[in-house]
Amino acid sequence: MVTAAELGSHDPALVLLTVEEAARRLRIGRTTCFRLVLAGEIESVTVGRLRRIPADAVPAYVAKLRHRPAEAA
């Protein structure tokens, strides 16, 4: 069963996402998403004391990953 929080994370009307919502969209863990935010890999903004990720920053991050040269194994 899908929870209301999961439905809200895919609402195209949302402009700002919590780190948890962005992590769910990327199918990564919350801690990994926080690390990406702190490293500046994913754009984020502060609203008062809250950290939010602009909804369009998620596909922008994926686009950056797609155009990155492949790492040597």
Side-chain angles (χ1 to χ4, degrees):
M1 179 174 228
V2 178
T3 65
E6 289 172 338
L7 284 175
S9 70
H10 297 294
D11 182 353
L14 290 177
V15 177
L16 295 174
L17 305 171
T18 65
V19 173
E20 290 83 1
E21 289 168 340
R24 274 197 299 272
R25 285 188 180 192
L26 290 166
R27 301 291 196 259
I28 61 175
R30 175 182 153 306
T31 303
T32 300
C33 195
F34 268 109
R35 284 188 188 132
L36 291 170
V37 166
L38 290 175
E41 291 286 321
I42 298 178
E43 177 189 0
S44 67
V45 296
T46 303
V47 181
R49 292 176 32 185
L50 304 173
R51 175 66 53 188
R52 294 293 183 254
I53 297 175
D56 61 349
V58 174
Y61 171 68
V62 173
K64 279 195 311 189
L65 290 178
R66 295 182 74 177
H67 297 331
R68 233 184 239 175
E71 294 180 15

